[in-house]
Amino acid sequence: MKTGEEKTTYAIPLEGVESEHGAQIIAKGLKSVAGIAMANVELNNNRAMVKTELPTALTDAVKKIRDLGYGVTTIKQTYPVLNMSCASCAISAESSIQSQRGVVSANVNYASGNLQVEYLPNVIQPHDLQQAVQSVGYDLLMPTDSHQTIAIEEIQHKQFEQLKLKAVWASALSIPLLIIGMFFMDMPYANEVMWVLSTPVVVWLGRTFFVNAWKQARHFSSNMDTLVALSTGVAYSFSVFNTLFPQFWHQRGLHGHVYFETAAVVIAFILIGKLLEEKAKGNTSSAIKKLMSLQPQTVVVIDQNGAEREIQIEAVVKGDLILVKPGQRIAVDGIVTSGHSFVDESMLSGEPMALWKEKGDPVFAGTINQKGSFQLYAQQVGADTMLAHIIRKVQEAQGSKAPVQQLVDKIAAVFVPVVMSIAILSLAGWWWLGGENGFTLGLNAFVTVLVIACPCALGLATPTAIMVGVGKGAENGILIRDAESLEKAKQITTVVLDKTGTITEGKPTLTDILWLDEMDAHRSILVGMEKLSEHPLAQAVVNYFGEVSFISVTGFESITGKGVKATADGKEYYVGSKRLLTESGITISNSLLEKENVWSLSSKTIIWFANQTQALAVMAIADPVKATSAQAIQRLHEMDKEVIMLTGDQEATAKNIAQQVGITQYHAGFLPQQKADFIKQLQADGKTVAMVGDGINDSAALAQADVSIAMGKGSDIAMEVAKMTIISSDLLKIPKAIQLSKRTVSTIRQNLFWAFVYNLIGIPIAAGILYPINGFTLNPMIAGAAMALSSVSVVSNSLRLKRIKL
């Protein structure tokens, strides 16, 4: 990186640029970005060089490159943010990161307490991000080892216990203060006693409010701490003045009221509210904690000598041979090498039935072995396991912002300055128009307005509901990548389904067989021949018969395009098409021919088995419809969703599958781009489209759709493109995802409604709008309790999502 006098040249590492033409397209696109003085692409080094003095220009450059269809090498990371006390804090911390050169995107979620950041590693490093956050009064917890999750939980637990201690002490000191202030104001030395009791609450227990407010003020910013510090600080300072110099007011014919109990009780209420808020916020992330607890801490590894030894999970590497005993959780992703057992994979699929695992079968971290025992070869360990992938996706989704949250953030950013202005105007107005008690009433209004205003309720309204909603989805086998897809799912009008692997099982299966004269010997010969065949349909026959003993055949010969033949017990046998049998002069009975006609009408593939004189059996192979597909499609119809099937398969097969599952609209012979174009046309017609697919050929359509849903047993590319993944590949999860979206969005709206209504009603009353009508002024202590209650009520309402049944 070279530094000039004003502008700096930066390198942006590129992906997927393979030609000079592509390089020219990128260079031309970058020159159109505001703030970039120079741009060229070094194809040999696979990087773009840009010269700029604007911090935001690099971010815009990365977006431009991606818009042009090329990739940029970046790092995405999540860091816990420490010392945040309200939604305004999250905005302040986010702004400090977003303004740094080399940061592509930054999102600080107040509810989860995490920063999600994407940055260019050759321009900025994590310690630079930490310094940026520290400069505005917060901190980032940097990963130092594999125990970061434990470190985070320890810090959060320690902070919770400290907050709990402060809340208990503040309450203990505020209760006698409240009693004296309300019932024993005239007792000797009442003001002095209240001064002594309130000082530890304000100066010690409420110290963090003042420290954080000062940090914000140094950066010409403000947050919730600013409101608390100003209100309680003014109340306390005014009370100290009146206690030390009561004659100042007496000489003016006024009585100098003290507000020691107000300052202390407000801090006590806010600390109690924050304690309840933190506890509730901890419950919203319980899905993550449950997922993290699924991985065992130790495993038994078998060394080269066959000896068993127990090691920590962090020490496991790819290629280790691991022993899994009955009842144990599986620690890593791998392949069974010996032994067999049933394994409960409900944490992945949501299905209660345990699956049979034997040599060659895959097993996954976090799933539970049943009564058997087996050894597995470790393929994916640590952060590469499917469980770790799910945890990351859930964390990213819980930390992402719904579109409505972006509006809330803008409101929260100006909320505190507006409230401070209203408080000052209230004080000035009362002082000017309130007569002899104008200053006292004005001070009461000033303190109460500052206390009752609650940006926290606004800040928590959306992210807490999103966190619980995403967690609920994960518990039900629905992996939601971001908040936007969760919010959009309720708007879906049309569901477009791929056929193979989505509606159907996605693999050929022998569905029917009719024997002319069934014999064990014939069955063994058929399996023996198909085990030697390389045809993809042969495996379906082998799978159908399972562990049937087979006869080793001789003279095995593959007849291209027709089938195979082999010799067993001195006789020739054939497996293949009807054409193979007729050309070999083999007779076929009418009963077998009739069955062939029936199965052919269902678009099934027909395979024949014969000896050298007659057909012995006819078999039908198809990609069967999943057991729940028809029920899921019926449920979508009941929800008034239009359901369309797109497939690259032939018309007859598409028609048959559509009839089986109750779909009236379908299109066959579609290429991948045609699927994407079809969805684009639906969107042009004003429809909100969900695309459900499982293969690489669906990726373009998934990217085009408003809500993209991938089958969990499909391709990695489909799951990477999709915003939702159905882990079990069960279509019944789609109506559940739509229902979850409706309930989550409904909860967000309820939260925002009450948060806005609370502030719209509370702030004018605190300012004294009712005083000219009925003489009512709001006590700051009541305002503090109301503010705490508003935050807790919003979080509690979000937690109700955990109890819904999908």
Side-chain angles (χ1 to χ4, degrees):
M1 191 166 67
K2 303 173 183 176
T3 305
E5 290 181 7
E6 295 180 352
K7 298 180 177 68
T8 305
T9 302
Y10 296 96
I12 301 176
L14 301 174
E15 297 173 358
V17 185
E18 298 175 352
S19 66
E20 192 63 42
H21 177 66
Q24 290 172 1
I25 291 174
I26 293 174
K28 184 178 179 181
L30 288 176
K31 288 173 183 175
S32 67
V33 175
I36 291 183
M38 179 277 291
N40 64 71
V41 175
E42 298 177 357
L43 195 58
N44 292 337
N45 296 322
N46 213 19
R47 65 183 184 180
M49 304 300 294
V50 297
K51 183 179 285 187
T52 181
E53 61 182 355
L54 294 177
T56 57
L58 270 181
T59 302
D60 294 338
V62 172
K63 291 177 180 176
K64 171 59 74 174
I65 293 169
R66 287 175 173 171
D67 288 344
L68 293 170
Y70 297 96
V72 177
T73 302
T74 60
I75 291 178
K76 291 182 180 180
Q77 188 62 269
T78 300
Y79 300 105
V81 184
L82 306 179
N83 306 327
M84 289 196 301
S85 59
C86 70
S88 298
C89 300
I91 295 169
S92 178
E94 182 178 305
S95 299
S96 70
I97 294 290
Q98 193 69 67
S99 63
Q100 301 300 305
R101 278 189 173 91
V103 172
V104 178
S105 65
N107 172 26
V108 176
N109 187 306
Y110 174 53
S112 65
N114 286 332
L115 160 71
Q116 287 181 8
V117 61
E118 181 183 6
Y119 61 91
L120 293 165
N122 60 314
V123 177
I124 191 168
Q125 293 297 312
H127 64 85
D128 299 317
L129 303 176
Q130 186 178 37
Q131 288 175 2
V133 173
Q134 288 172 341
S135 70
V136 290
Y138 312 106
D139 201 359
L140 292 185
L141 182 63
M142 308 305 292
T144 55
D145 54 34
S146 58
H147 298 284
Q148 186 198 14
T149 301
I150 298 171
I152 296 167
E153 290 186 354
E154 287 177 352
I155 289 174
Q156 290 175 339
H157 178 71
K158 185 178 179 181
Q159 289 178 337
F160 181 80
E161 290 300 318
Q162 289 176 344
L163 185 59
K164 184 178 179 181
L165 183 66
K166 286 182 178 180
V168 169
W169 273 105
S171 302
L173 291 169
S174 296
I175 290 171
L177 261 171
L178 191 60
I179 293 171
I180 294 171
M182 293 181 69
F183 304 110
F184 301 103
M185 275 295 297
D186 297 326
M187 77 177 204
Y189 304 106
N191 287 0
E192 287 77 5
V193 171
M194 288 192 291
W195 184 7
V196 170
L197 288 173
S198 65
T199 299
V201 179
V202 176
V203 176
W204 173 46
L205 301 172
R207 179 176 176 271
T208 53
F209 297 119
F210 294 92
V211 171
N212 291 337
W214 172 245
K215 288 179 180 178
Q216 292 298 313
R218 284 169 53 199
H219 292 87
F220 304 100
S221 184
S222 57
N223 63 4
M224 186 64 210
D225 294 322
T226 308
L227 299 182
V228 177
L230 270 175
S231 59
T232 57
V234 169
Y236 178 80
S237 301
F238 183 68
S239 301
V240 171
F241 178 85
N242 289 349
T243 301
L244 293 175
F245 308 104
Q247 67 277 9
F248 177 85
W249 298 105
H250 293 159
Q251 291 169 359
R252 291 161 176 76
L254 298 172
H255 177 68
H257 293 280
V258 295
Y259 293 93
F260 287 121
E261 79 282 8
T262 298
V265 171
V266 164
I267 287 175
F269 271 134
I270 291 173
L271 287 172
I272 292 170
K274 285 196 169 295
L275 183 71
L276 296 173
E277 181 184 307
E278 288 300 318
K279 188 173 183 179
K281 278 162 61 181
N283 287 335
T284 64
S285 60
S286 60
I288 289 288
K289 292 175 182 175
K290 285 179 182 176
L291 286 170
M292 287 179 169
S293 68
L294 292 177
Q295 189 173 51
Q297 298 303 306
T298 61
V299 296
V300 176
V301 174
I302 301 173
D303 62 24
Q304 294 178 346
N305 300 320
E308 298 177 9
R309 58 189 177 91
E310 188 171 324
I311 63 172
Q312 293 294 313
I313 183 66
E314 294 84 6
V316 178
V317 296
K318 291 181 181 179
D320 278 349
L321 194 62
I322 296 172
L323 176 64
V324 182
K325 298 178 181 178
Q328 284 186 339
R329 284 195 182 275
I330 297 169
V332 298
D333 293 357
I335 297 290
V336 177
T337 58
S338 65
H340 49 76
S341 179
F342 280 99
V343 174
D344 179 0
E345 293 188 349
S346 58
M347 56 78 58
L348 290 177
S349 64
E351 303 302 324
M353 292 295 291
L355 301 178
W356 178 252
K357 300 288 182 177
E358 57 187 11
K359 184 177 180 179
D361 288 337
V363 290
F364 302 98
T367 57
I368 305 172
N369 181 30
Q370 301 292 287
K371 296 181 179 179
S373 179
F374 58 85
Q375 296 177 11
L376 68 89
Y377 173 84
Q379 284 190 314
Q380 304 292 343
V381 301
D384 296 326
T385 65
M386 183 179 286
L387 176 61
H389 174 77
I390 291 171
I391 291 171
R392 281 197 302 275
K393 291 299 181 186
V394 173
Q395 284 177 324
E396 288 173 7
Q398 288 189 334
S400 63
K401 288 185 180 178
V404 69
Q405 179 65 22
Q406 294 164 10
L407 172 63
V408 175
D409 283 349
K410 291 178 182 178
I411 295 170
V414 300
F415 184 88
V416 173
V418 168
V419 168
M420 289 171 63
S421 302
I422 293 172
I424 292 169
L425 287 173
S426 300
L427 172 60
W430 278 108
W431 199 353
W432 182 32
L433 302 172
E436 63 178 17
N437 291 322
F439 182 78
T440 302
L441 290 169
L443 184 65
N444 183 83
F446 176 82
V447 173
T448 307
V449 167
L450 292 175
V451 169
I452 202 168
C454 186
C456 296
L458 287 173
L460 290 167
T462 301
T464 52
I466 291 296
M467 288 176 70
V468 178
V470 169
K472 187 71 178 178
E475 290 174 9
N476 284 271
I478 305 166
L479 192 56
I480 300 165
R481 177 180 279 191
D482 61 24
E484 184 177 1
S485 58
L486 181 59
E487 187 177 329
K488 267 190 177 179
K490 73 173 287 293
Q491 303 167 7
I492 292 169
T493 59
T494 305
V495 179
V496 176
L497 302 172
D498 172 51
K499 178 183 74 68
T500 306
T502 302
I503 296 174
T504 67
E505 293 289 353
K507 59 182 180 181
T509 303
L510 197 155
T511 57
D512 308 278
I513 184 169
L514 177 65
W515 292 92
L516 183 66
D517 184 15
E518 186 171 5
M519 296 172 59
D520 290 342
H522 288 159
R523 199 161 47 234
S524 298
I525 293 168
L526 172 61
V527 174
M529 292 177 68
E530 291 293 66
K531 277 185 175 289
L532 295 175
S533 174
E534 296 179 355
H535 196 284
L537 298 184
Q539 190 59 43
V541 177
V542 174
N543 292 341
Y544 178 82
F545 288 104
E547 295 299 319
V548 169
S549 59
F550 62 92
I551 294 175
S552 296
V553 297
T554 59
F556 181 84
E557 180 185 348
S558 177
I559 304 168
T560 305
K562 299 176 184 177
V564 297
K565 71 175 182 177
T567 303
D569 298 330
K571 294 182 180 179
E572 280 191 342
Y573 289 88
Y574 299 83
V575 179
S577 65
K578 186 178 180 182
R579 179 183 171 189
L580 174 64
L581 270 62
T582 55
E583 288 181 359
S584 302
I586 297 169
T587 60
I588 304 174
S589 71
N590 289 332
S591 60
L592 296 182
L593 286 171
E594 289 173 3
K595 187 58 70 175
E596 178 209 21
N597 292 332
V598 172
W599 292 340
S600 295
L601 291 174
S602 299
S603 301
K604 295 182 178 181
T605 301
I606 306 300
I607 296 177
W608 294 86
F609 174 52
N611 59 21
Q612 56 199 18
T613 58
Q614 62 179 351
L616 302 175
V618 62
M619 296 165 279
I621 291 181
D623 181 6
V625 171
K626 292 175 184 174
T628 57
S629 291
Q631 184 183 352
I633 289 162
Q634 181 184 352
R635 194 164 295 177
L636 287 170
H637 283 143
E638 290 170 355
M639 297 171 75
D640 294 326
K641 307 299 179 189
E642 180 184 28
V643 182
I644 302 172
M645 183 182 77
L646 303 182
T647 178
D649 211 337
Q650 59 185 349
E651 171 71 22
T653 304
K655 182 178 180 180
N656 178 258
I657 296 296
Q659 288 175 342
Q660 286 187 56
V661 297
I663 291 177
T664 55
Q665 295 187 64
Y666 67 90
H667 298 274
F670 264 42
L671 297 172
Q673 190 54 47
Q674 288 177 299
K675 291 182 180 180
D677 292 340
F678 183 81
I679 289 174
K680 199 171 185 177
Q681 184 57 51
L682 289 174
Q683 291 168 328
D685 294 338
K687 297 176 180 178
T688 302
V689 184
M691 172 67 196
V692 188
D694 77 316
I696 295 173
N697 63 320
D698 299 319
S699 57
L702 288 167
Q704 178 64 45
D706 297 292
V707 179
S708 47
I709 305 172
M711 296 288 102
K713 295 179 181 177
S715 75
D716 290 341
I717 292 177
M719 286 186 278
E720 188 65 30
V721 171
K723 296 298 179 68
M724 290 188 186
T725 299
I726 306 299
I727 298 174
S728 66
S729 296
D730 181 358
L731 284 182
L732 275 175
K733 303 290 185 183
I734 295 174
K736 289 184 178 182
I738 295 172
Q739 184 186 356
L740 177 63
S741 171
K742 287 181 178 179
R743 297 295 293 269
T744 303
V745 172
S746 174
T747 301
I748 290 171
R749 288 176 175 171
Q750 292 167 13
N751 288 348
L752 289 174
F753 173 79
W754 288 113
F756 277 114
V757 166
Y758 164 81
N759 284 296
L760 287 172
I761 294 175
I763 291 175
I765 292 175
I769 197 171
L770 295 178
Y771 186 80
I773 301 170
N774 56 16
F776 177 79
T777 58
L778 188 63
N779 190 307
M781 292 181 290
I782 304 301
M787 191 214 72
L789 183 62
S790 68
S791 292
V792 174
S793 62
V794 162
V795 179
S796 300
N797 189 47
S798 295
L799 288 172
R800 291 192 308 118
L801 280 170
K802 296 178 76 171
R803 297 194 296 271
I804 67 170
K805 288 186 178 181
L806 297 177

